[in-house]
Every structure is written in structure tokens, then in C-alpha cells.
Amino acid sequence: MAEGTHAVDTRLPFGRQLTFGVQHVLIMYTGCITVPLVFGAAAGLDRATIGLLISADLLIAGVITLVQSLGVGKLAGARLPIICGATFIGLDPMILIAKEYGLPAVYGSMMIGGVVGVALAVPFARLVRFFPPLVTGTVLTVVGVSLIGVAGGLIIGNDAKSPTFAAPSHIGLAAVVFLIAVGFLCLGRGMVAQLGVLIGLVVGIAIAIPMGLIDTDGIAGADWVGPPKPFHFGAPEFPITGVVAMSVVMAVVFAESTASMLAISEITGKPIGKGDLARGLVGDGLSGGLGGVFTSFVDTIFNQNVGAVAATRVFSRYVTATSGVILVVLGLMPRFGAIVAAIPEPVVGGVGLVLFATIAIVGIDTLRKADLADRVNATIVATALGVGLLPVMAKDMFVHFPSAAQILLTSGITLGAATSFTLNVLFNHTRLGVFARGKTEAAAPQAGTEPSATPEPPAIAEPRHDMPSPAPA
């Protein structure tokens, strides 16, 4: 390493660089492909089309990983060892938009959301204090809990009239996959533990073959090599509620990615300024724009790969750039995407249950960075969780509202994010918070407690630097 060159900017020998690059791909792979598998099943797409979504997903993940690792001049990319892939945060709103407006509206809304993200990257980097762990932790918890029902739908099926609906054999298969993944995650060591979910997926496929659950339709007709087709579902459409929902998704992704970039900065010891953060967020916005064009998904920084960087102490951004090249190559192989799309839904549901529940735990762990001993902060979290989970627990609550409004009102992620953000601004960034805490303290003697001095308003926590590594959000 040349004198004065940071480890992040150092190239490794080709063999080591390739080996660690492949390891990053294996670690992120299951989480990345689960998003198109779950969305495709929920949207009622056939196997061939889901295969195309997987190819596009891998391609855009590779492109954004390259952007974040190598940078694009002074325009985009944090130039850190970052792996990007499809985020689960956008999954629920995308499903709702698809059911209400159709697939062209999903990708049109995503495209505009990406454009909004690029435009807001610089301001957001300056306003990141409005998205502390109090907000991001609440939203991630709502995301994880909301998606558990989606995993259940994959396991039992969504057609109650189907002869295979809630078949004990399907539930048993999902349970085996789930238990294997949990076993490796808990009992494995090193990379074996990191690959626990992928191992569960492979074992589930092996069991599903003699059960006759592998659907090979679409594999033979898929090309070996070829780029995803732009606007596969037709000209994009831009319903205002869909655009708003995907813009909210982008804001939440920004908050999570900011925390991840700060974590990478801390792990590698390379300082990161607001300009670097802004360029990293532009990368997230680009994923939305490109995803809308190529029918992919909004990308975020995968925290399990952040954990891998910390564990291996391999800080070179050229390693993650190698991972990006591998993902691009996989994305240009439609036959590969079609093979992945043949994975049975109960198997996907089994691994999805692990991943989605882990997202909720990541959210809960994030909330530990918030001052929940403060009564006002605890109330903000409780209120946002209640509002965010209400449409999940009472699915028909807004059924008589206008259909356009239902996209926003039935998305727990949108409601939870809006509620936590608004209450955090009101009670932690205005005089209203000082007044609320003063009134709370003043009421203590009347309740039979000892009087005490009025507390200072709590410091607003910075984005967390130690996001756990098991699953992406």
C-alpha cells in the first residue's frame, strides 16, 4: 500500500479481490432475490416474468454497487466498500400500487420517486438530524411486522379455493427451511452463519424437487444472455398517490443508508462528510430511477455486508466493486433469473419469515439508541407503531375510502413513517417538546412522587452506527 493511501482506496491482488467479492455476493444474494420473488408472487406474475424481475434486480444492484464503490465524478457514489440491493421497505407499497393501478403505475411511481430522491439528496444530507433512531427504528419495526403476513401468504397460498391452499406439506416444507436457516444462523460460525438463510433456501429446493413443487415453465424459453427490456410492462403511469408512497419509501431508504454509510466510515476509519453522504444518497435515488425503467427495485445498502466488512477487516472498495461486476454479469443472464424464479413459494416464505422478522429486530435494536426512558419519546414510538400497524391488523379498515387514498392509508410503512417523522419534529425540534416535558415533570408531585427539577429536552440522537448484520431492510 502506497504511503498516504487509505485502506479503502487500496487494490488487492486479483485472487483475493475476487474471493472476497464472491463472498459479498453470497452474503447478500438471498435477501436481494427474495424481494422480486415475493413481489412477483403477490402481484400474480408468472414464473417467466418473475425471472425477468430477478435479472433486472441483480443488474441494477450491480450497477448501483459499482456507483457507490467507485463513484461517478462528483455526482454520485460514496466511494466506500458498499454492497447495494433491493430493499424490503418498498415492497408493501409496490404491492398495493400494483393491485390498485397496475404494474405500469408501480414502475412509473418508482421512477419519479427516484428522481425526487436525486433532487433531495443534498438537502437530506443536511437534514439527517430529523431522522434519528427514534424514526428509523420505528419504521423498520413496522416494515418487518407488516411483511410477516406476506411471508405467510407465500407459505399457505393466497387462493382459499385452491386445493393446495394451506396444505400441511407446504407448511411443513416452510417450517423445515425456517428451522435450518435459524439453526445455521444461531449455531454456525463465521461465513457459515452468514450464509444460513441461503443454506436453508438450497435445502428447501432439494426437498421440493421430489414433492413436485419445482415449476420449470419459462426456463427453456429464457435466453442465456441479454439485457432486461426497458418498460417491460408498458409505458409508465404516474398516479399521485403512488408517487407520494414511493417518495416516502425513498426518504426512509435515505435515513437507513445514511446510518449505514456512517457505520462504514466508522469501521474503516475513513472520514465521510456531508458531500460524501449526499453523493451516496444520489446513488439510492438512481436505483429508483433505473429500477423504474428496467422493472427492478429501489436499492439500499445491505447491512449484512457492512457486518462482513467489519468481520473480515477487508476495507477495499475495489472488492465491493468486484461484487458489483459479478451482479451485473448475473443480471445479464435471463436463464439464470428464470431458474431462480422456479423456487417454490413455500420455500421463499420460509426464508422470508426469517428475513422479515429480522428486519423487525433490527428496528427494535435501532430504537435502543433512542431515549425511550423519556416519556414523550416513548409516546412517539408507541403512537407511530400503533398507527403503522393498524392497517396490517385491520385490513378492511379503509375499504370504504377512495381507492386512491387507500394506497397511502393501507400502507403501514407510509403511515408509520409519516407519524414518527411528524411527531419527532414537533416534540424534539420545537418549543412544544420543552413545554410537554415541563408539564410531564410538573405533574409528578401530584401523582405522589418526589418533586424534581425540570429535565432538559433530550439530545436528538445521531443516526446509528452499529446496524446489525443479519438482514437488509
Side-chain angles (χ1 to χ4, degrees):
M1 182 172 67
E3 186 176 352
T5 302
H6 196 281
V8 166
D9 302 313
T10 303
R11 298 176 186 269
L12 303 183
F14 177 77
R16 290 190 66 204
Q17 192 160 294
L18 180 62
T19 300
F20 286 114
V22 170
Q23 176 177 271
H24 272 299
V25 172
L26 291 175
I27 290 170
M28 62 83 72
Y29 182 77
T30 307
C32 190
I33 65 169
T34 300
V35 175
L37 285 170
V38 172
F39 175 72
L45 303 180
D46 57 50
R47 295 286 183 181
T49 304
I50 294 175
L52 296 176
L53 294 184
I54 292 169
S55 294
D57 173 41
L58 294 172
L59 175 64
I60 300 304
V63 169
I64 300 304
T65 296
L66 283 168
V67 168
Q68 296 286 30
S69 299
L70 302 180
V72 179
K74 296 183 178 180
L75 299 177
R79 288 182 174 84
L80 291 170
I82 286 172
I83 298 290
C84 295
T87 176
F88 290 110
I89 292 173
L91 192 53
D92 193 41
M94 288 177 66
I95 293 171
L96 292 171
I97 296 169
K99 290 180 178 179
E100 181 62 33
Y101 296 110
L103 293 169
V106 171
Y107 290 102
S109 298
M110 183 190 300
M111 188 165 58
I112 298 301
V115 172
V116 170
V118 170
L120 294 181
V122 173
F124 190 95
R126 296 171 179 167
L127 299 176
V128 69
R129 66 194 183 97
F130 293 111
F131 288 85
L134 189 72
V135 175
T136 56
T138 301
V139 174
L140 288 173
T141 304
V142 171
V143 169
V145 175
S146 298
L147 291 176
I148 288 175
V150 176
L154 290 171
I155 294 170
I156 68 173
N158 294 301
D159 183 3
K161 297 180 180 179
S162 171
T164 60
F165 180 77
S169 59
H170 291 188
I171 297 174
L173 174 59
V176 170
V177 171
F178 177 82
L179 291 173
I180 290 173
V182 170
F184 276 98
L185 287 169
C186 293
L187 302 176
R189 294 292 182 269
M191 190 173 178
V192 173
Q194 291 175 324
L195 298 179
V197 175
L198 182 61
I199 294 171
L201 188 72
V202 172
V203 173
I205 294 171
I207 296 173
I209 292 175
M211 294 176 66
L213 296 179
I214 302 295
D215 183 358
T216 59
D217 291 347
I219 294 179
D223 295 330
W224 280 108
V225 179
K229 178 184 175 183
F231 303 117
H232 177 78
F233 297 109
E237 298 176 5
F238 312 101
I240 185 63
T241 48
V243 170
V244 170
M246 294 309 295
S247 297
V248 171
V249 165
M250 190 59 65
V252 176
V253 168
F254 273 11
E256 186 186 11
S257 289
T258 297
S260 298
M261 285 186 278
L262 291 172
I264 283 286
S265 173
E266 231 176 51
I267 290 167
T268 62
K270 184 170 185 179
I272 182 171
K274 290 182 179 179
D276 301 307
L277 284 175
R279 287 189 290 272
L281 298 179
V282 168
D284 287 344
L286 286 175
S287 75
L290 291 174
V293 174
F294 291 100
T295 59
S296 179
F297 301 86
V298 176
D299 286 346
T300 189
I301 298 169
F302 270 32
N303 286 308
Q304 63 265 49
N305 293 93
V306 173
V309 170
T312 63
R313 310 299 293 174
V314 176
F315 299 153
S316 173
R317 59 192 173 98
Y318 296 101
V319 167
T320 53
T322 301
S323 304
V325 172
I326 295 170
L327 290 169
V328 169
V329 171
L330 293 175
L332 293 175
M333 299 170 62
R335 180 71 64 95
F336 178 78
I339 293 172
V340 174
I343 299 174
E345 291 183 3
V347 175
V348 179
V351 298
L353 189 60
V354 178
L355 293 173
F356 300 156
T358 302
I359 294 169
I361 296 303
V362 170
I364 293 170
D365 192 63
T366 303
L367 286 171
R368 288 171 34 185
K369 294 290 181 180
D371 180 15
L372 296 186
D374 178 89
R375 192 179 203 174
V376 175
N377 283 348
T379 302
I380 291 173
V381 174
T383 303
L385 283 176
V387 173
L389 293 177
L390 194 59
V392 177
M393 304 301 178
K395 293 186 179 297
D396 295 328
M397 185 168 190
F398 300 107
V399 69
H400 295 300
F401 281 64
S403 58
Q406 290 185 39
I407 297 295
L408 300 176
L409 295 176
T410 59
S411 170
I413 297 168
T414 303
L415 288 182
T419 303
S420 58
F421 173 79
T422 302
L423 292 179
N424 175 63
V425 170
L426 285 176
F427 288 104
N428 284 322
H429 294 276
T430 70
R431 298 294 299 174
L432 185 61
V434 177
F435 175 78
R437 289 173 174 87
K439 294 292 285 186
T440 298
E441 192 66 29
Q446 300 175 11
T449 60
E450 292 297 323
S452 59
T454 302
E456 293 293 325
I460 306 306
E462 292 297 319
R464 59 182 311 207
H465 293 186
D466 63 340
M467 292 287 283
S469 63

